[in-house]
Amino acid sequence: MSKEAGFFNLSINKIITDEHSQMDVARVRLLYYGLWLVFGTVSIVFINLYFQHKAVLTSVGGAVLLSIAILFKYLTWKPDWKFVSHALLVIGSLINLIDVFIIFQRVDVVTVQLVLIIVIFSYYMLGPKWGMLYSLMNLVPVVIFMIYAYNNIYIIDFKPQRLDQPTIIISVLGNFILLVFIHNHFYQAFITNIRQLKKNSHEQKRLNTVLESAIDKAEKSSQAKSEFLSTMSHEIRTPLNAVIGMTNLLMMGNPRNDQKENLEILKFSANNLLAIVNDVLDFNKIESGKIVFENIRFNLTELMGNICGGQIIKANEKGLNFVLDVDPRLNQRIIIGDPTRITQIIFNLVSNAIKFTQQGQIQVIVELVEDRHDRATISFAVRDTGIGIERENLDAIFEPFTQESITTTRQYGGTGLGLAIVKRLLELKGVQMQVSSKPGEGSAFTFNMEFPVSTEKPVEKPKTTVPTQEQVADQNNLSHLNVLVAEDNSVNTMLMKKLFSKWHLKSSFAENGERAIEQVQYGNFDIILMDLQMPVMNGFDAAMEIRKLEDPKKANTPIIALTASALIDIREKVFSSGMNDYVSKPFKPDELKEKILNLVGDDTLIK
Ligand code: ADP
């Protein structure tokens, strides 16, 4: 408690520290100066009694002086005000009772003063509980004594002592000063305390305002950062769209072998850049709390097949064995969750596994660990026999923009965002990922996730007969289709024109949403491709307007959104504005073709 108060310290400044509250300081001060005052008064009384040769009273006075000196020393050594207060109150009560019952055998003004001092002192120093106890301890015996004395039945075998008038005056005066001192001291302390509280509350208010404006600033700057990233991504993705699109077109035009190689590199680099832009965007979205998980019914076995389909080819190209092992009990189950996010998580882990493995195998194991009526706990594991990770780096690899070492960056490329995204996505779902790894032997990333299970019986898919070659050719033939493309970017328009001419597709172009609506009204289109960000009227509004057209055939024309912003939360907006599907730019020609065929394919077969 004390700062550096040694045993020989007598100064009050050394025993008051910053840890003491305002009231505690007042208590320590009261004890310090109060003990001086009492010591002074008792000393005078003691000298007076000594010269009057009153042996009993002189010894009591001496004992009191000694106790006060000891307590004072204790206080200036260890400022334990609670202990000193109790000690003083016990001594005071004893003196009071001995005076009344033995030494003087009467209740006089000094007794009343002493009781009053004990009452006030105990309440101020130790609070109401102890205050009440010490007050009763002194009052009750005094009242009992008064009753006995009144009835003249209090007689003991000791001759009561009497004080001379000067000693009485000194005692009364000393006690009075002590009473006023205690009261005055605490009154001052209370007032200072109230002032301090007021000042603190003003300071608190000021700090709150400062804090609020700081939070506001931080929110604004984080919003500005998100907007900047979102705009940048759009600006980067649009020319990238052209680069990838043109590369695809060139590759479709039977290039020479050496040209094909160059085009492959161009496509690989552009796709890599796109993946980085998407990762940065996604991470930004997670960090700014904009991720909303969907609850869609899906079959996990099918989803895992789709995710790993492309990856198996990649692994095989590298000479790696790829094992996808999905619990057969999941074949018939429809679970509810966000397939896009599951895809993102598994895709990241499997891509890493393939990237960091030179030989051996990649294992993706999905197991139903707990199967209840309407909930299922499923464990996912992605194992590889790759380079592994040093023990001390196992935490760091989940940090954004962190790779295991500089060598990793140099040898394998990447941004170090994949695992950070995976970890944060899982954390948002309350899931913790486990990773175990041994350098040179391989790594395993595992996590368990709980899903609600759809209790409806899965609908049996009608058995599809294998289509004949002519049917397939027919199905893939788009030449009879009339397509409207709403797109403001001239490079993209040119790209589409070239692509559609390869598909022998009739196409018209509108440079904004408003023009697109006009063209739909006067033309006859089988499908509309709608860019979302356009001047004058954007794609969402245009789609909603088209859905409101009077002619039901026109109002129901299938619409595919073309979106340059990152997929995830655009999806809901696309569907809620009445569009049927979307492709993310830069799109793969085959993907677009498949989506067009999905929406108009069946009809065209009939035609
Ligand atoms: P990136 O793959 O872009 O480098 P990630 O966040 O996906 O970023 O991974 C961070 C780092 O973790 C990687 O750079 C690599 O050092 C390490 N790592 C991740 N997965 C594996 C794995 N399967 N085997 C070995 N190292 C891995």
Side-chain angles (χ1 to χ4, degrees), residues 314-328:
K314 249 196 202 168
N316 291 344
E317 275 171 7
K318 253 185 119 174
L320 302 171
N321 189 18
F322 195 111
V323 180
L324 169 62
D325 185 359
V326 182
D327 197 321

Side-chain angles (χ1 to χ4, degrees), residues 369-402:
V369 282
E370 226 183 303
D371 190 11
R372 276 154 289 159
H373 173 61
D374 58 349
R375 297 195 86 75
T377 306
I378 297 169
S379 87
F380 295 82
V382 178
R383 299 175 204 280
D384 63 57
T385 51
I387 58 170
I389 305 154
E390 292 288 345
R391 203 177 187 15
E392 64 266 28
N393 294 330
L394 285 180
D395 283 335
I397 55 168
F398 292 100
E399 292 304 315
F401 304 106
T402 308

Side-chain angles (χ1 to χ4, degrees), residues 226-239:
S226 300
E227 274 163 22
F228 168 77
L229 280 172
S230 168
T231 317
M232 277 302 288
S233 93
H234 185 250
E235 295 306 317
I236 294 171
R237 287 166 64 109
T238 307

Side-chain angles (χ1 to χ4, degrees), residues 279 348-357 382-384 386-389 393 396-405 408-409 412-422 437 442-445:
D279 269 359
N348 259 310
L349 295 178
V350 175
S351 300
N352 276 347
I354 297 174
K355 187 157 112 179
F356 295 109
T357 306
V382 178
R383 299 175 204 280
D384 63 57
I387 58 170
I389 305 154
N393 294 330
I397 55 168
F398 292 100
E399 292 304 315
F401 304 106
T402 308
Q403 299 187 306
E404 204 198 348
S405 69
T408 316
T409 322
Y412 300 94
T415 51
L417 267 180
L419 286 182
I421 293 176
V422 168
S437 187
S443 318
F445 292 81

Side-chain angles (χ1 to χ4, degrees), residues 292-476:
V292 182
F293 286 90
E294 289 189 302
N295 282 318
I296 297 177
R297 293 152 48 88
F298 66 98
N299 179 280
L300 191 61
T301 312
E302 268 174 35
L303 184 77
M304 290 305 297
N306 290 340
I307 302 170
C308 295
Q311 302 289 67
I312 291 175
I313 299 171
K314 249 196 202 168
N316 291 344
E317 275 171 7
K318 253 185 119 174
L320 302 171
N321 189 18
F322 195 111
V323 180
L324 169 62
D325 185 359
V326 182
D327 197 321
R329 285 175 294 169
L330 285 167
N331 291 353
Q332 293 303 310
R333 287 299 174 92
I334 298 293
I335 60 171
I336 298 167
D338 191 334
T340 318
R341 292 303 174 188
I342 303 278
T343 304
Q344 198 173 10
I345 293 166
I346 302 294
F347 189 85
N348 259 310
L349 295 178
V350 175
S351 300
N352 276 347
I354 297 174
K355 187 157 112 179
F356 295 109
T357 306
Q358 304 310 335
Q359 57 187 26
Q361 70 167 5
I362 313 294
Q363 262 183 309
V364 180
I365 300 161
V366 180
E367 204 182 345
L368 185 60
V369 282
E370 226 183 303
D371 190 11
R372 276 154 289 159
H373 173 61
D374 58 349
R375 297 195 86 75
T377 306
I378 297 169
S379 87
F380 295 82
V382 178
R383 299 175 204 280
D384 63 57
T385 51
I387 58 170
I389 305 154
E390 292 288 345
R391 203 177 187 15
E392 64 266 28
N393 294 330
L394 285 180
D395 283 335
I397 55 168
F398 292 100
E399 292 304 315
F401 304 106
T402 308
Q403 299 187 306
E404 204 198 348
S405 69
I406 305 280
T407 331
T408 316
T409 322
R410 219 179 298 128
Q411 213 173 330
Y412 300 94
T415 51
L417 267 180
L419 286 182
I421 293 176
V422 168
K423 182 176 179 232
R424 279 165 177 72
L425 281 177
L426 287 174
E427 275 173 357
L428 286 175
K429 280 272 161 201
V431 173
Q432 202 70 35
M433 177 143 76
Q434 267 91 43
V435 48
S436 60
S437 187
K438 259 197 182 161
E441 287 187 19
S443 318
F445 292 81
T446 49
F447 62 91
N448 282 8
M449 215 173 195
E450 200 182 87
F451 295 91
V453 174
S454 169
T455 44
E456 288 167 35
K457 280 238 172 288
V459 190
E460 281 279 323
K461 278 193 192 156
K463 281 225 162 76
T464 46
T465 48
V466 183
T468 62
Q469 272 203 335
E470 287 109 62
Q471 268 176 328
V472 171
D474 229 11
Q475 268 176 348
N476 288 338

